[in-house]
Amino acid sequence: MGIRASKEGQEKFKQARNKKRWNQNADALLTKSGVNRSTVQSLEQGRKIKPENFVALFKAVGIENWEEMVDNSPTQASYMEFSVYQHDDWVGRETLLDELSKKVRGSCRVLLLVGITGIGKTAFAERIVQELRGDWGEHRENFEDEKKVSDFASVALQWLEKWGESVPKDDRKPEQLLRQLVKHLCENRCLILMDSIEYLLTKNNQDEWGDFTDEWWGKFFVSFLAESNCQSRFILTSQDLPSKFEKAECDRYNNLWYSQLLRGLETPEQIALFEKAELDGDLELAHSPLRVIGEVYDGHPLALRTIAGEIKESYRKKVSAYWKENSRYIEEVKEAIDEARNQAVVKGDEDRWQLASYTKVLRIKVKERIDQTFNRLKNDVYDAYCLLCMASIYRCEVKETWWLINLDDEGYNEEQQKAAMQTLRDRYLVEDGGIDDEDNRLVGQHNLIRSVAIAHRLML
C-alpha cells in the first residue's frame, strides 16, 4: 500500500529541498533517493507513493524522522458515481447480493455479471459496489462509447497515472504496462467496475465469437489471476461471455473468478417494484393488470420500470387508465403463451407482439436498446441473427432441433447450425428450457427478445 505526506510533511520536504537549492529535477536529489521526477511531484502534491520511496526522499533532504511526515488522518475513499443504481428505488436480488458480495470479499478476483440488455447488470454491479464500499479505491470504466479508447495499453496507462504511478515513456509497451498494472493491483485495494465489456470482444481465428479484440486484455486477466496474492477485485458486466475465461489459461483459476447470469425479477420482486412506484394496482391478485404485466415481461427490470414510470407520469398513477388504453398488447401475449402451454399451440407464425414498442416511451427506452443488440449480432454473426429471427415463430420452449431445422431449410450445414446456436448461448439470447420426457433439450426466447425478433424476422 502507498503512503502520502501530510500537509505539514509536504511543506517541510519542500523547505528542506529548497534549502539544498535542489529543484524537483535535481540530479543530486534523484540520484541520492533513487526515484524519478514524477515520484517527487507525487509526494509534493500529496499523492500516495511507495513507502520505500517516501523514506528515501525524506532522508535524501536530511529529514530522518520521516514517520512524523506521514498523513495518518482518515481519508475519504475515492468513490465512483453510480449511473443507474438508486438506493430508494432498489428492489430484490438480496440473497444473490449477499452471495456475490461474500465471493468478492473472499477469493473471487473477477466477478462477471452477464445477461441480456436491460436485465439490470449495471445497476446490480453498482449495488454490489455499494455493499462492498469502504476500504477500497473505486474506479469504473464504461466501454459502450465506441469512440473512447479501449485498447489495453491506453487504458492501463490512464489507470496508472490516475493512481499516481509514474510511467516513463520508455516503459509504455503493453507487456511493461501489464506488469506494472498487475503489481499495483496486487499491492493496493482497488475495486474496478468495467461496464459493457462486450464492446471489447471480437471473433477469433476459428470464426468463434468472444475473444478480446486486443489480446493484451486477455493476457492481463490471465496474469492477474495467476498472482499468488492480490488485494484488488474486478466486477465486469457483459451481454456476451468473454471466451478467455473458459479457456485453459483461466480455467485453472476457476476458484478466483465467477460468472453470474442475471434473469428477470421474481414475482415478489416485481410486486415490490410496483409498490415502490406507489401505483394503485391490486397487487395481491394474480390476474391483476400489474401482475400480468410482470409475468408477460418475464420480470425484465428495465421494461417494468419504464412502464411504472409511464403510469406514474402520464396516467397519474392510475393503472386502470393505462390498462384501458394498452391492455390489448399485453393480453395478446398472455393468451398466446397460455395457448402454447395449455393447448400445445407452440407455433405462432401470425403473432405480431409489440411488447417493446406499443408506446413511444417503450420504443425509446427499451426497443432501441434491444435493436442495438440485434444489429450488433447481425453485423458480427449473421447466421446466429437469422436463427434468432426465424425461431421467433415459437411462442415458448421447444426442442432445440426445431430451431435448427429453420437453418437446415436455408441450406446451413450441421456445423454452421451448431455454431449459430452456440453464439446465441454465449450472448444469452437463447434460454435453457430444460429436458423433456424424451430427453430432448428445450430452448426458448425471453418474451421481450421474441417481440423484437418477430419484427426483425418480417424484415428478413
Side-chain angles (χ1 to χ4, degrees):
M1 294 287 285
I3 56 176
R4 63 166 60 90
S6 63
K7 289 288 185 183
E8 182 184 3
Q10 293 168 40
E11 287 303 315
K12 286 189 174 182
F13 178 83
K14 292 176 186 176
Q15 291 169 5
R17 174 172 61 74
N18 291 331
K19 190 174 182 180
K20 291 180 176 288
R21 297 185 178 180
W22 292 344
N23 59 28
Q24 291 181 336
N25 204 30
D27 289 339
L29 173 62
L30 303 183
T31 301
K32 193 169 184 179
S33 63
V35 306
N36 55 36
R37 180 174 178 271
S38 62
T39 304
V40 181
Q41 290 178 325
S42 294
L43 184 143
E44 294 190 358
Q45 292 170 5
R47 297 202 298 266
K48 286 185 177 181
I49 62 174
K50 294 176 181 178
E52 58 268 30
N53 291 341
F54 187 96
V55 175
L57 280 170
F58 273 98
K59 287 188 174 182
V61 297
I63 299 177
E64 293 294 329
N65 59 334
W66 60 268
E67 297 96 333
E68 297 177 15
M69 306 297 117
V70 177
D71 183 4
N72 291 314
S73 62
T75 57
Q76 177 69 35
S78 55
Y79 290 165
M80 69 179 72
E81 291 185 6
F82 293 150
S83 61
V84 183
Y85 168 70
Q86 293 181 329
H87 175 74
D88 293 339
D89 293 337
W90 182 258
V91 297
R93 294 176 173 164
E94 295 300 331
T95 300
L96 186 59
L97 171 67
D98 184 55
E99 291 173 0
L100 297 182
S101 298
K102 285 179 180 177
K103 284 184 181 293
V104 176
R105 287 193 186 99
S107 62
C108 181
R109 298 180 191 175
V110 180
L111 172 63
L112 278 157
L113 300 178
V114 294
I116 63 174
T117 185
I119 206 68
K121 300 182 294 296
T122 299
F124 192 47
E126 292 176 344
R127 178 67 182 88
I128 294 173
V129 169
Q130 199 269 343
E131 185 72 12
L132 297 172
R133 182 157 279 174
D135 189 23
W136 301 87
E138 296 177 9
H139 181 76
R140 79 175 302 152
E141 203 76 48
N142 190 332
F143 295 98
E144 194 169 5
D145 182 359
E146 294 178 312
K147 296 179 183 177
K148 188 176 181 181
V149 293
S150 59
D151 65 283
F152 171 75
S154 297
V155 175
L157 179 61
Q158 289 175 359
W159 290 357
L160 288 167
E161 290 182 335
K162 179 180 178 181
W163 297 334
E165 291 265 1
S166 60
V167 188
K169 287 187 177 180
D170 293 339
D171 295 337
R172 295 184 179 184
K173 293 179 180 178
E175 58 267 33
Q176 296 165 320
L177 289 165
L178 186 153
R179 287 194 295 270
Q180 187 172 353
L181 181 57
V182 169
K183 187 173 187 294
H184 180 93
L185 293 170
C186 287
E187 295 175 351
N188 298 273
R189 288 178 62 81
C190 301
L191 181 60
I192 302 169
L193 168 55
M194 293 177 64
D195 215 359
S196 300
I197 66 165
E198 65 266 18
Y199 289 94
L200 300 180
L201 306 179
T202 188
K203 288 181 182 177
N204 61 22
N205 293 330
Q206 287 75 46
D207 253 7
E208 296 172 349
W209 197 266
D211 266 8
F212 285 104
T213 305
D214 181 353
E215 64 177 351
W216 285 100
W217 276 117
K219 291 179 179 180
F220 162 72
F221 281 113
V222 171
S223 298
F224 178 72
L225 294 172
E227 290 292 322
S228 56
N229 291 292
C230 187
Q231 299 190 58
S232 295
R233 298 292 184 264
F234 279 86
I235 301 176
L236 315 180
T237 76
S238 183
Q239 291 183 43
D240 307 354
L241 176 68
S243 60
K244 192 69 174 180
F245 287 94
E246 289 195 319
K247 293 181 178 177
E249 307 104 301
C250 286
D251 189 57
R252 71 181 67 179
Y253 308 116
N254 58 15
N255 62 321
L256 300 180
W257 69 273
Y258 186 77
S259 178
Q260 177 64 52
L261 172 63
L262 292 188
R263 300 186 184 276
L265 300 175
E266 300 291 336
T267 300
E269 297 169 329
Q270 298 167 21
I271 293 172
L273 184 152
F274 290 129
E275 286 178 338
K276 286 238 176 176
E278 300 176 339
L279 303 183
D280 65 356
D282 203 353
L283 289 165
E284 62 269 17
L285 299 177
H287 299 294
S288 65
L290 290 179
R291 291 283 294 273
V292 173
I293 289 172
E295 176 189 349
V296 164
Y297 279 90
D298 289 337
H300 190 272
L302 176 62
L304 298 190
R305 290 186 188 281
T306 298
I307 291 170
E310 192 166 6
I311 295 173
K312 196 171 182 178
E313 297 299 324
S314 300
Y315 294 84
R316 299 184 179 181
K317 298 184 181 181
K318 290 189 69 66
V319 177
S320 56
Y322 182 89
W323 191 248
K324 181 178 181 180
E325 192 166 322
N326 300 296
S327 61
R328 63 187 183 279
Y329 304 107
I330 311 296
E331 290 178 326
E332 171 192 17
V333 177
K334 178 76 165 67
E335 290 168 5
I337 294 172
D338 289 344
E339 193 175 37
R341 299 199 184 286
N342 301 328
Q343 301 174 38
V345 183
V346 299
K347 210 169 182 180
D349 307 64
E350 302 301 319
D351 289 346
R352 298 294 182 266
W353 292 3
Q354 299 179 55
L355 290 180
S357 59
Y358 65 80
T359 71
K360 181 180 179 180
V361 177
L362 279 169
R363 286 195 297 275
I364 294 173
K365 293 191 174 182
V366 180
K367 187 176 185 297
E368 286 187 6
R369 285 184 58 169
I370 300 177
D371 274 333
Q372 288 175 7
T373 297
F374 273 70
N375 291 332
R376 196 163 56 85
L377 179 66
K378 183 179 181 180
N379 293 329
D380 296 343
V381 192
Y382 187 74
D383 296 354
Y385 169 77
C386 288
L387 177 58
L388 185 65
C389 294
M390 289 188 286
S392 67
I393 61 174
Y394 302 116
R395 294 170 164 176
C396 64
E397 301 87 354
V398 296
K399 298 175 185 178
E400 183 175 319
T401 53
W402 289 17
W403 276 45
L404 298 179
I405 200 170
N406 290 285
L407 286 183
D408 189 60
D409 291 343
E410 296 295 323
Y412 289 85
N413 62 38
E414 185 177 352
E415 185 177 338
Q416 290 171 321
Q417 294 171 28
K418 289 182 177 179
M421 179 62 81
Q422 187 58 49
T423 295
L424 296 183
R425 283 200 166 89
D426 290 344
R427 298 194 176 202
Y428 311 101
L429 294 170
V430 57
E431 296 191 341
D432 179 18
I435 306 293
D436 67 11
D437 295 337
E438 298 175 350
D439 294 332
N440 295 301
R441 180 186 251 183
L442 302 178
V443 293
Q445 293 179 352
H446 189 285
N447 290 340
L448 256 180
I449 297 297
R450 186 192 178 218
S451 179
V452 177
I454 289 172
H456 280 254
R457 187 187 82 229
L458 297 176
M459 294 187 292
L460 277 176

